[in-house]
Amino acid sequence: MRDINQFTITQAVKDTFKTEPGSRFETLLHGLIEHLHDYTREHNLTHEEWMGVLNFLYDCGQISTPERHEFILLSDVLGFSALVDMINTKGGATEGSNLGPFYLDNAPRKALGSDISDGRDGVTVLVHGRVMDTLKNPLPGAVLDTWQADSAGTYPIQEQASGQDKFDLRAIFEADDQGRYYYTTVLPKPYTVPYDGPVGVLLRAGDRHAWRPAHLHYIVRHPGMNAITTEIFFENTEYVDNDAVFGVRKSLLAKIAPAKDIDALGYKLDKTPDAVCTYDFILAPAS
Amino acid sequence: MRDINQFTITQAVKDTFKTEPGSRFETLLHGLIEHLHDYTREHNLTHEEWMGVLNFLYDCGQISTPERHEFILLSDVLGFSALVDMINTKGGATEGSNLGPFYLDNAPRKALGSDISDGRDGVTVLVHGRVMDTLKNPLPGAVLDTWQADSAGTYPIQEQASGQDKFDLRAIFEADDQGRYYYTTVLPKPYTVPYDGPVGVLLRAGDRHAWRPAHLHYIVRHPGMNAITTEIFFENTEYVDNDAVFGVRKSLLAKIAPAKDIDALGYKLDKTPDAVCTYDFILAPAS
């Protein structure tokens, strides 16, 4: 190894790892080493530039806590999270989008027709639609896990210090025998991702904003089907065309319409909505 | 941006950064995004795999402190530090090698011929040679900043808790009017890089050891010349052919010989050496 040079070092580094030939671990490790060595060579990185990268990662580590994962945020603003969502979307199924940092296990199970605004002010919207397979067959009993921000763009989990319940604005619903789900909630608003850390420094260096368009989060599951993690956005609302984390897809945009003729839907609702948002989820079979 | 897909997202992410066209920042940022997006696409990374990468970085951040930079260590064991050293070596000059984590500013200035072992046991070695330019002209007054481990493979800075002085086994020398430097010290031994953190997990996953061959660190400077940061290793010693951080180059290997006929060198030494290590440093003009 005393004879390595800037062109042979990449193979030398790969060879030091005694990984199982052809294993996924070897493939991913070798691929990462190759791409980042190529990057270093192509741009003739100086010591100062390379240390700049390492110190940026160090700073991301220093601001991270169990409640704040700056590396996920970095992945989000550089489009990696969205790219992984895109790659892993199954043909014909609803497109995946960011899980985000605010998901909680064990949200309260609520009955269809419930209002989940937990007393928050704002526009009351009926959110409804169907869960179907890729052949448009309904999936009765599909489970929808949803969470969202309030009409100030804040998640209750972020406001626990001021007494908010972290399980507010969350619910788990079970679709009815026609695969339908329906509930009322308060219309969420846009918010910013955290920009007081290293990722904020990066955004400012590129004169980028930190805003996300308003959205509702979902994980939708059904036995025998691939679960999807995604978000619904709203047509003609702020930031849908420049989401800081690249979560918006055309297929994930729902229309918000004034609430009229909703009696015809036959839902039993706890609260009278001002507006209606319709969105159908499509699940693909587990392979 | 609602129309982005897994092939168009890379350009979309680059476009969000309003960087100065053609600037170094833009070039390096775009290059990094391109390589890592390509990597993600080529290997169809799953959410679990991608989160594995992000959580590995998170863990590196959690173990890092001002005294321990796990990202530098990661860069070292993946050959990036060595690659950057190689890329930045100037033609004809001594090859660069790892700065490592133990450098300290303001080492004590000592006279040529001093012994810098600070009472440590071990083999006493005369380390000497010349500092020259690429045309072999001596560089009188060149400054050599050196630091090293002891004969147990430990740096005094690591043993401050047991009362060791962090400035022991360090010195700054000024080359004489013939560009010569000479001093005695204790022969260092191999040691391991820290393997109790995430980088250790990575090494074990690839059945790799954490050892570095014995070496002496140097930063060599002279006005008008490019400073070099490098290491001297010793022929026929353990780990010179499988340094965990890829620091060894053939040109950085010095021979250790029994001390004989050293009176002929005309040095005034504070201590009588057992062995002799000869190495000449070559500096290239600052461009």
Side-chain angles (χ1 to χ4, degrees):
Chain A
M1 208 147 73
R2 63 185 66 181
D3 287 322
I4 51 173
N5 60 44
Q6 72 188 83
F7 302 103
T8 60
I9 188 172
T10 306
Q11 189 61 44
V13 172
K14 286 157 58 181
D15 288 345
T16 57
F17 286 95
K18 289 169 278 298
T19 43
E20 193 193 329
S23 66
R24 185 72 175 160
F25 176 63
E26 182 179 89
T27 302
L28 294 184
L29 182 66
H30 285 190
L32 195 55
I33 291 168
E34 282 165 13
H35 268 293
L36 288 174
H37 274 218
D38 282 345
Y39 171 72
T40 306
R41 270 187 292 263
E42 284 165 14
H43 298 292
N44 285 316
L45 287 194
T46 66
H47 284 98
E48 292 69 25
E49 288 162 351
W50 185 240
M51 273 308 300
V53 172
L54 299 180
N55 285 336
F56 181 82
L57 295 173
Y58 178 94
D59 291 344
C60 288
Q62 293 301 295
I63 207 167
S64 289
T65 64
E67 286 75 43
R68 175 172 184 170
H69 198 317
E70 193 81 356
F71 298 99
I72 292 181
L73 183 60
L74 180 61
S75 165
D76 290 349
V77 304
L78 292 180
F80 293 112
S81 304
L83 179 54
V84 172
D85 289 334
M86 291 168 175
I87 287 171
N88 289 286
T89 292
K90 304 292 173 188
T94 299
E95 294 187 82
S97 187
N98 304 52
L99 173 66
F102 298 123
Y103 175 72
L104 283 181
D105 263 331
N106 299 314
R109 290 189 166 263
K110 297 195 174 169
L112 291 171
S114 299
D115 182 75
I116 69 163
S117 65
D118 296 304
R120 264 64 173 190
D121 292 333
V123 174
T124 297
V125 60
L126 165 65
V127 186
H128 78 127
R130 294 203 300 160
V131 184
M132 299 179 284
D133 66 17
T134 50
L135 299 173
K136 299 286 173 81
N137 299 307
L139 293 170
V143 172
L144 297 93
D145 197 338
T146 186
W147 66 106
Q148 64 169 92
D150 62 20
S151 61
T154 305
Y155 288 80
I157 195 174
Q158 299 173 287
E159 298 292 333
Q160 292 182 85
S162 58
Q164 294 203 32
D165 184 335
K166 67 180 179 181
F167 283 109
D168 279 3
L169 293 172
R170 293 172 193 268
I172 295 176
F173 295 107
E174 198 176 309
D176 70 11
D177 57 5
Q178 298 172 57
R180 299 184 308 177
Y181 72 96
Y182 47 97
Y183 64 97
T184 56
T185 188
V186 68
L187 197 63
K189 285 282 182 178
Y191 61 85
T192 56
V193 296
Y195 58 88
D196 59 332
V199 170
V201 172
L202 178 64
L203 292 176
R204 281 189 292 279
D207 194 19
R208 279 181 56 176
H209 70 75
W211 287 92
R212 298 214 62 203
H215 57 272
L216 303 170
H217 285 279
Y218 293 91
I219 297 175
V220 187
R221 299 185 173 87
H222 189 274
M225 312 300 281
N226 263 306
I228 52 167
T229 298
T230 195
E231 301 166 286
I232 297 180
F233 303 88
F234 311 111
E235 286 277 14
N236 304 318
T237 56
E238 274 189 301
Y239 307 112
V240 285
D241 280 310
N242 51 6
D243 182 357
V245 305
F246 309 95
V248 181
R249 322 273 182 270
K250 196 176 178 175
S251 71
L252 299 176
L253 283 162
K255 281 203 180 65
I256 305 257
K260 53 182 184 186
D261 306 325
I262 62 170
D263 288 349
L265 294 167
Y267 299 148
K268 190 157 170 279
L269 300 175
D270 287 351
K271 195 165 176 184
T272 304
D274 307 314
V276 180
C277 166
T278 307
Y279 194 84
D280 293 335
F281 294 98
I282 312 289
L283 305 190
S287 48
Chain B
M1 208 145 72
R2 63 185 66 184
D3 287 322
I4 52 174
N5 61 43
Q6 71 188 82
F7 301 103
T8 59
I9 187 173
T10 306
Q11 189 62 44
V13 173
K14 285 158 58 182
D15 288 346
T16 56
F17 286 95
K18 289 169 278 299
T19 42
E20 192 193 329
S23 66
R24 184 72 176 162
F25 176 63
E26 182 179 88
T27 302
L28 294 184
L29 182 66
H30 285 191
L32 195 56
I33 292 168
E34 282 165 13
H35 267 292
L36 288 173
H37 275 219
D38 282 346
Y39 171 72
T40 306
R41 270 187 292 264
E42 285 165 14
H43 297 292
N44 285 316
L45 286 194
T46 67
H47 285 98
E48 291 71 24
E49 288 163 348
W50 185 240
M51 274 308 299
V53 173
L54 298 181
N55 285 337
F56 181 83
L57 295 174
Y58 178 93
D59 291 344
C60 287
Q62 293 301 296
I63 207 167
S64 290
T65 64
E67 284 75 42
R68 177 174 181 167
H69 198 315
E70 193 81 355
F71 297 98
I72 292 181
L73 183 59
L74 180 61
S75 165
D76 289 351
V77 304
L78 292 179
F80 294 112
S81 304
L83 179 54
V84 172
D85 289 334
M86 291 167 175
I87 287 171
N88 289 285
T89 291
K90 302 295 173 187
T94 298
E95 293 187 84
S97 187
N98 303 54
L99 173 67
F102 299 124
Y103 175 72
L104 284 182
D105 264 332
N106 298 314
R109 291 189 165 261
K110 296 195 176 170
L112 291 171
S114 297
D115 182 75
I116 69 163
S117 65
D118 296 304
R120 264 69 174 185
D121 290 334
V123 173
T124 296
V125 59
L126 165 65
V127 186
H128 78 128
R130 293 204 300 161
V131 184
M132 300 179 284
D133 67 18
T134 49
L135 299 173
K136 301 286 175 81
N137 299 308
L139 292 170
V143 172
L144 297 95
D145 196 337
T146 186
W147 66 106
Q148 65 169 88
D150 63 21
S151 59
T154 306
Y155 288 80
I157 194 175
Q158 298 173 287
E159 297 292 334
Q160 292 182 83
S162 58
Q164 293 203 31
D165 183 335
K166 67 180 179 181
F167 283 109
D168 279 3
L169 292 172
R170 293 172 191 269
I172 294 176
F173 294 107
E174 197 176 310
D176 70 10
D177 56 5
Q178 299 171 55
R180 299 184 309 177
Y181 72 94
Y182 48 96
Y183 64 98
T184 56
T185 188
V186 67
L187 197 63
K189 285 282 180 178
Y191 62 85
T192 57
V193 297
Y195 57 87
D196 59 333
V199 169
V201 172
L202 178 65
L203 292 176
R204 280 188 294 278
D207 194 19
R208 277 181 56 176
H209 70 75
W211 288 91
R212 297 214 63 202
H215 57 272
L216 303 170
H217 285 280
Y218 292 91
I219 298 175
V220 186
R221 298 184 173 88
H222 189 275
M225 312 301 281
N226 262 305
I228 53 169
T229 298
T230 195
E231 301 167 286
I232 297 179
F233 303 88
F234 310 111
E235 286 277 15
N236 305 317
T237 55
E238 274 189 300
Y239 306 112
V240 287
D241 279 310
N242 51 4
D243 181 357
V245 306
F246 309 94
V248 181
R249 321 273 182 271
K250 197 179 185 172
S251 71
L252 298 177
L253 282 163
K255 281 203 179 67
I256 305 257
K260 53 182 182 186
D261 306 326
I262 60 169
D263 287 350
L265 295 167
Y267 298 148
K268 190 157 170 279
L269 300 176
D270 286 351
K271 196 166 175 183
T272 304
D274 306 314
V276 179
C277 167
T278 308
Y279 194 83
D280 293 334
F281 294 98
I282 312 288
L283 304 191
S287 47

